[in-house]
Amino acid sequence: METKLHPETLCIQAGYSPKNGEPRQIPIVQSTTFKYDTSEDMGKLFDLEADGYFYSRLANPTCDAVAAKICALEGGTAAMLTGSGQAANFLAVFNIASCGDHIIASSAIYGGSFNLFSVTMKKMGLETTFIDPDCTEEELNAAFRPNTKAVFGETIANPALTVLDIEKFARAAHAHGVPLIVDNTFATPINCRPFQWGADIVTHSTTKYMDGHASAVGGAIVDSGSFDWTAYPDKFPGLCTPDDSYHGVTYTERFGLAGAFITKCTAQLMRDFGCIQSPQSAYLLNLGLESLPFRMKQHCANAQAVAEFLQSHEKVKWVKFAGLKGDKYYDLAQKYMPNGTCGVISFGLYGGRKAAETFMKHLKLGSIETHVADSHTCCLHPASSTHRQMTDAELDAAGVGADLIRLSCGLENAQDLIADIAQALDEV
C-alpha cells in the first residue's frame, strides 16, 4: 500500500509505524547487541529462520526502518543502509561479482567510484570496462564478455552532469543476462525512480540530498526484486547455490527474488566488512528524508536561476546543467526527470584553472568544500581535489576537464547566490 502513496507522504510515513503508546519518531536503538531468552531463539536468527537482530554489525532496527522508507520511495522490494555511498556501490557490485569477473561502467561517474572500480577492485581481480555514456547501443553491446556480471552508471554523473540513458543501458544489460546498477544520488527518488526505466539495483550516497544538512555520512542499496537471478544460475552462483559460510542457505530459494540480493548482501558482506551505518546517523538521515521533496524543489529552482545567469555572463565559457534548453542532456532530462534534475551546476571560465581558483577565492556565500548537495551552497575544483588521482585523459573521458568548477546550489535565496557569484566573477 505504501508504494501507492505520493512521495511527500512516503517521506513522512513510510518505514516505521508506531504501535499504541510507542514513540512517534523512529527510536535510536544505540546498542551493539540484543538479548534472547534461549540459545534456540538466537539460533533461529543465525539460521535466517526468524526475523530479528543479534548484532548491529549486520543489522539494526533504526537502520532497517530508514532503509524501508528509502525502499518505498524507490519502489523496491528490499533495502539496506551502509556506512557511506562508496560502501553501497562496493557491496552492490561485490555481491554478484568477484575475482575473475568483469563489469561495465559509465566513464562519467564520481571520481571515487571510478577509482574504486579501476584501482581497488582491480586489485581484487575484478576488471572494469569504462564506456562513454553517450555510446551507441552497438558500442555498448560490444563491451560485454562471457564473465560480465553487471552494468553500472549514475542517473546524473558527479560532477560531469551527464544524464544516463537508463533504458538504453538496461536493454543492453538484460540482453546479456546481467543487472543494471544505478547510483541515483543526485536525482533522488523525488526526481527519478530508475526502476521504472529498467534499472535493477539502485544505490545512494545518503550523505548528499537525502540527509541534506551535511550531518551524517551514509549510503543505501535498494533492490527492485525484478531481476531473475535464477535464470542465470551459473552466472550468479552466490545467489543460486548454497552459501557454505551461512549454513548452506540458497538465497533465491529461501527469500525469493524480492529478498535474495539484500539478504545475501547483509548476511554475508555486511557480516564480513562491517560497513554499517550507525543508528544515530540513520536517525539524522530520517529527519532529512522528511523534508526531501520540498528541499529538492528549492535546490532545482536555485540551480535553474543560477545556471541561466552563468550562461549569459561574458566571463563564463560554458555551462553544464541539464535543465537549460540547449544543454546536451536536456532532452534526456525531460524524459527521465521532467520535474527537475538536481541543484548542481558545472561550468568553466575563460582563463581556465587560474580563473577558477580566483573565482572561488572571492566567493562569500559559496564555500570551498569537498561536499555537494546539502543546504549550504558549496563550490569545488574537482581536478585539484576529488579527481586529482585521475590523469588528464581520464579526466576528459569522465567529462571533468581541468577548468571545471562544480557549484552546488543550496537552499539560500537565489538572488543572493547570484549576487555573490557576480561579485566573485568581477574579480576574475
Side-chain angles (χ1 to χ4, degrees):
M1 186 175 77
E2 284 183 342
T3 54
K4 296 180 182 179
L5 299 173
H6 291 83
E8 295 86 352
T9 304
L10 291 174
C11 281
I12 302 295
Q13 298 286 348
Y16 172 68
S17 299
K19 298 181 177 65
N20 187 46
E22 291 186 342
R24 170 58 275 189
Q25 187 53 275
I26 292 177
I28 303 172
V29 183
Q30 195 65 49
S31 180
T32 62
T33 191
F34 302 83
K35 174 188 174 296
Y36 286 90
D37 292 335
T38 68
S39 295
E40 288 76 15
D41 290 337
M42 183 171 283
K44 293 177 182 178
L45 299 176
F46 275 92
D47 287 341
L48 301 178
E49 293 176 353
D51 293 329
Y53 303 89
F54 49 83
Y55 196 49
S56 280
R57 191 182 73 221
L58 282 87
N60 174 280
T62 306
C63 296
D64 279 0
V66 182
K69 176 174 288 189
I70 295 172
C71 187
L73 284 167
E74 286 287 6
T77 59
M80 64 189 290
L81 297 188
T82 61
S84 67
Q86 283 289 85
N89 286 337
F90 171 70
L91 293 185
V93 171
F94 200 65
N95 202 34
I96 51 176
S98 57
C99 184
D101 291 334
H102 170 257
I103 67 168
I104 296 168
S106 166
S107 60
I109 55 176
Y110 169 58
S113 300
F114 186 96
N115 195 63
L116 171 68
F117 297 143
S118 66
V119 178
T120 304
M121 295 190 78
K122 185 178 181 180
K123 293 177 180 177
M124 302 170 73
L126 179 67
E127 189 173 354
T128 302
T129 295
F130 293 97
I131 190 162
D132 188 330
D134 301 327
C135 65
T136 65
E137 296 212 27
E138 292 75 18
E139 290 170 331
L140 180 54
N141 280 300
F144 285 84
R145 304 175 185 175
N147 62 336
T148 302
K149 296 297 179 71
V151 179
F152 180 91
E154 295 177 3
T155 311
I156 306 172
N158 174 16
L161 300 184
T162 57
V163 175
L164 188 73
D165 190 342
I166 302 172
E167 285 192 315
K168 177 179 75 175
F169 275 76
R171 273 196 305 272
H174 297 159
H176 293 271
V178 302
L180 172 62
I181 303 172
V182 173
D183 184 329
N184 197 32
T185 295
F186 268 16
T188 81
I190 302 304
N191 288 340
C192 183
R193 300 176 85 192
F195 293 155
Q196 295 180 343
W197 303 100
D200 302 291
I201 308 292
V202 160
T203 62
H204 285 277
S205 169
T206 63
T207 316
K208 310 303 191 297
Y209 286 122
M210 283 187 165
D211 173 281
H213 302 86
S215 58
V217 174
I221 307 172
V222 187
D223 181 16
S224 67
S226 62
F227 190 84
D228 188 358
W229 311 103
T230 62
Y232 313 97
D234 294 336
K235 187 169 287 190
F236 304 105
L239 287 161
C240 302
T241 60
D243 179 3
D244 293 336
S245 76
Y246 221 108
H247 316 295
V249 63
T250 300
Y251 295 101
T252 49
E253 290 181 1
R254 179 76 65 84
F255 303 100
L257 299 182
F261 185 89
I262 293 295
T263 303
K264 176 182 181 293
C265 204
T266 301
Q268 189 184 87
L269 300 188
M270 191 62 81
R271 175 198 66 196
D272 292 346
F273 289 100
C275 45
I276 194 171
Q277 188 170 150
S278 76
Q280 179 69 55
S281 293
Y283 177 84
L284 294 171
L285 168 59
N286 185 63
L287 293 180
L289 286 169
E290 291 186 348
S291 62
L292 180 63
F294 310 99
R295 290 187 290 102
M296 288 307 295
K297 289 179 183 178
Q298 182 71 7
H299 283 297
C300 291
N302 280 354
Q304 187 72 36
V306 169
E308 291 174 1
F309 168 78
L310 289 169
Q311 191 179 44
S312 65
H313 199 283
E314 61 183 8
K315 293 184 179 180
V316 178
K317 186 176 182 180
W318 57 268
V319 181
K320 288 184 180 179
F321 180 68
L324 288 174
K325 289 184 178 180
D327 184 89
K328 182 178 181 180
Y329 297 99
Y330 179 80
D331 291 339
L332 273 180
Q334 290 300 302
K335 173 182 177 178
Y336 293 119
M337 294 161 277
N339 296 320
T341 54
C342 66
V344 183
I345 303 165
S346 290
F347 65 99
L349 304 179
Y350 290 103
R353 183 187 294 263
K354 184 176 180 180
E357 292 172 350
T358 302
F359 167 78
M360 294 195 295
K361 190 181 297 181
H362 288 89
L363 282 175
K364 297 177 181 178
L365 293 180
S367 57
I368 300 175
E369 300 176 17
T370 311
H371 201 237
V372 71
D374 67 58
S375 58
H376 298 79
T377 291
C378 52
C379 196
L380 195 71
H381 182 227
S384 60
S385 54
T386 54
H387 288 59
R388 67 181 299 120
Q389 77 276 11
M390 297 171 69
T391 66
D392 284 349
E394 289 173 337
L395 285 170
D396 289 338
V400 190
D403 65 337
L404 183 147
I405 298 169
R406 183 185 70 184
L407 180 69
S408 176
C409 297
L411 300 178
E412 302 92 345
N413 180 278
Q415 294 308 309
D416 291 338
L417 294 179
I418 290 172
D420 185 39
I421 292 167
Q423 66 82 26
L425 286 170
D426 287 343
E427 301 293 333
V428 175

